[in-house]
């Protein structure tokens, strides 16, 4: 009987851990290379329809990204809203495709990326 309770508690702990992991971790960011960009242009408005016929609008951006070492790469990605001008973004890239992005503050930029982005903006 005691072993049954121990097994049940272990299984419950694993399930709770899995649920917490899924809720708090963006799987698109795992194993991705990180680049940093500054939004310095308006996105190209793209209107499309889903398979069910519902219309939606997205915005396509092509920006020069810089990694932590200062290496540059042209990145094209889509956002479902217009991004704030002059905002800094951390872009997650898997292979040659952008898998995710998030806005960051200038203080969060690595030194190599910060130098390149500041000189590119002038």
């Amino acid at each position: 009987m005691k072993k049954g309770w121990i097994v049940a508690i272990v299984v419950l702990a694993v399930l709770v851990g899995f649920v917490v992991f899924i809720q708090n971790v963006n799987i698109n960011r795992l194993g991705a290379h990180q680049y940093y960009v500054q939004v310095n242009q308006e996105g190209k408005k793209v209107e499309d329809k889903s398979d069910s016929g519902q219309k939606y609008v997205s915005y396509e951006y092509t920006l020069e990204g810089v990694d932590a070492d200062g290496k540059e790469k042209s990145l094209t990605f889509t956002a479902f809203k217009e991004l704030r001008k002059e905002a800094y973004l951390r872009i997650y890239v898997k292979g040659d495709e952008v898998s995710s992005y998030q806005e960051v503050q200038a203080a969060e930029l690595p030194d190599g990326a910060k130098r390149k982005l500041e000189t590119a903006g002038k």
Side-chain angles (χ1 to χ4, degrees):
M1 186 70 169
K2 200 174 194 180
K3 283 185 183 181
W5 280 106
I6 292 172
V7 170
I9 290 171
V10 169
V11 169
L12 182 63
V14 169
L15 288 175
V16 168
F18 179 73
V19 169
V20 169
F21 174 80
I22 292 298
Q23 289 179 339
N24 295 311
V25 175
N26 185 334
I27 295 175
N28 291 325
R29 296 178 182 175
L30 292 177
H33 191 75
Q34 296 178 20
Y35 287 88
Y36 299 86
V37 300
Q38 185 173 26
V39 179
N40 55 12
Q41 60 182 269
E42 291 185 16
K44 179 180 142 191
K45 188 175 184 177
V46 178
E47 295 182 20
D48 206 355
K49 286 185 181 178
S50 66
D51 292 339
S52 64
Q54 184 176 357
K55 292 181 183 179
Y56 65 91
V57 175
S58 60
Y59 298 87
E60 184 176 279
Y61 293 85
T62 300
L63 302 168
E64 281 301 311
V66 182
D67 69 6
D69 299 324
K71 295 177 186 164
E72 297 181 18
K73 181 176 185 169
S74 182
L75 302 168
T76 301
F77 62 99
T78 304
F80 290 106
K81 64 177 185 174
E82 282 191 274
L83 300 175
R84 189 173 58 82
K85 288 276 259 181
E86 307 304 319
Y88 291 104
L89 302 177
R90 179 182 296 132
I91 307 288
Y92 297 88
V93 178
K94 287 186 177 180
D96 285 332
E97 294 189 19
V98 172
S99 61
S100 183
Y101 68 88
Q102 77 180 80
E103 186 170 338
V104 295
Q105 300 301 314
E108 298 177 62
L109 297 173
D111 291 335
K114 191 175 200 173
R115 278 192 299 275
K116 288 267 186 159
L117 291 173
E118 285 176 349
T119 57
K122 293 180 181 178

